[in-house]
Amino acid sequence: MAAKDEPIVIKKYANRRLYNTGTSTYVTLEDLAEMVKKGEDFTVQDAKTGDDITHPVLTQIIFELENKDGQNMLPIPFLRQLIAYYGDQMQMIVPSFLEQSMLAFSKEQERFREQMKDALGKSPMDMMKIATPIKVLEEQTRRNMEMFQNAMRLFTPFPPAGSAPAAAPAEPARKETSEKPDDLQELKEQIAAMQRKLDTMS
């Protein structure tokens, strides 16, 4: 009975077959994908060694799904950027950033689904309300990106090239106005500098 709260164990054999110990049946990667969608928790173990191989199996599921026609969800620029982070000093914070972003997205998604459900079957004017949650999702993504860029700035031991004098990024602003740029303007410039660095990395 205690096993009810524990993850289901999926055993992977040398012949690449997957065995669900919860249902005592052989399953496929497609079956595991369905389990994920239903919120069923599971771990995958190597049947011979007992090693936890959940991560590579989930990665394989994503690979299979990405290769299905019309199911590409990961844009090429994102994949390039992700690859660039492997072995980089930023690698340590990327997983937690992605995890937090997906959690935030999931919360907004539930609200979005509810509004979609309410709007379906109503007038076209009611359907226009769907644009609101989409804007919320876009704003959340923008905020997450800013947070990530700020975190990257904190973890970067050296200032970006060309920013040795602290006032260098603020120079264009000084031409426009004699006043010192406020904190928001300075933050925008720092984010822009980090974005340029990200672009060169990808």
Side-chain angles (χ1 to χ4, degrees):
M1 300 297 281
K4 192 176 181 183
D5 295 326
E6 294 172 9
I8 299 163
V9 175
I10 308 292
K11 290 188 178 288
K12 187 175 184 181
Y13 290 90
N15 60 6
R16 297 188 179 185
R17 295 194 75 185
L18 298 159
Y19 184 76
N20 184 332
T21 60
T23 59
S24 301
T25 56
Y26 284 100
V27 291
T28 63
L29 289 175
E30 228 169 72
D31 295 326
L32 295 187
E34 285 305 313
M35 288 173 71
V36 170
K37 289 173 185 177
K38 289 175 185 173
E40 296 178 29
D41 193 13
F42 62 83
T43 60
V44 186
Q45 295 177 1
D46 185 294
K48 188 177 181 182
T49 64
D51 292 342
D52 188 325
I53 54 170
T54 309
H55 187 278
V57 169
L58 290 176
T59 306
Q60 191 180 353
I61 290 171
I62 291 171
F63 176 78
E64 296 287 336
L65 291 172
E66 282 289 310
N67 278 291
K68 281 190 176 180
D69 289 338
Q71 284 208 169
N72 301 100
M73 196 162 52
L74 303 175
I76 288 174
F78 171 79
L79 291 172
R80 288 185 193 278
Q81 208 162 41
L82 199 58
I83 290 167
Y85 286 133
Y86 282 94
D88 186 86
Q89 60 189 3
M90 293 298 106
Q91 184 174 341
M92 58 187 277
I93 63 168
V94 171
S96 64
F97 166 74
L98 293 176
E99 187 176 356
Q100 291 305 313
S101 294
M102 288 306 289
L103 284 172
F105 180 80
S106 295
K107 286 176 186 173
E108 295 296 340
Q109 179 195 36
E110 285 311 308
R111 190 162 58 179
F112 180 55
R113 282 180 198 260
E114 285 305 312
Q115 291 191 18
M116 279 272 286
K117 207 185 292 178
D118 292 343
L120 286 173
K122 295 185 179 178
S123 70
M125 288 303 290
D126 289 327
M127 292 295 284
M128 292 296 285
K129 293 174 186 174
I130 294 173
T132 305
I134 290 174
K135 284 178 184 173
V136 170
L137 287 174
E138 286 174 351
E139 183 56 35
Q140 181 66 46
T141 304
R142 217 175 355 258
R143 281 200 303 267
N144 286 347
M145 198 60 205
E146 284 178 11
M147 271 184 356
F148 181 54
Q149 288 170 335
N150 288 335
M152 285 183 66
R153 205 161 30 81
L154 293 172
F155 279 88
T156 306
F158 305 107
S163 65
E171 197 133 15
R174 227 183 288 136
K175 287 177 184 174
E176 291 171 16
T177 173
S178 57
E179 292 177 14
K180 188 179 178 183
D182 60 16
D183 290 342
L184 181 62
Q185 181 62 32
E186 191 175 330
L187 180 60
K188 283 180 182 175
E189 289 164 357
Q190 288 170 346
I191 288 171
M194 184 54 63
Q195 187 61 55
R196 287 193 294 273
K197 188 175 179 183
L198 281 171
D199 291 341
T200 58
M201 285 167 60
S202 58

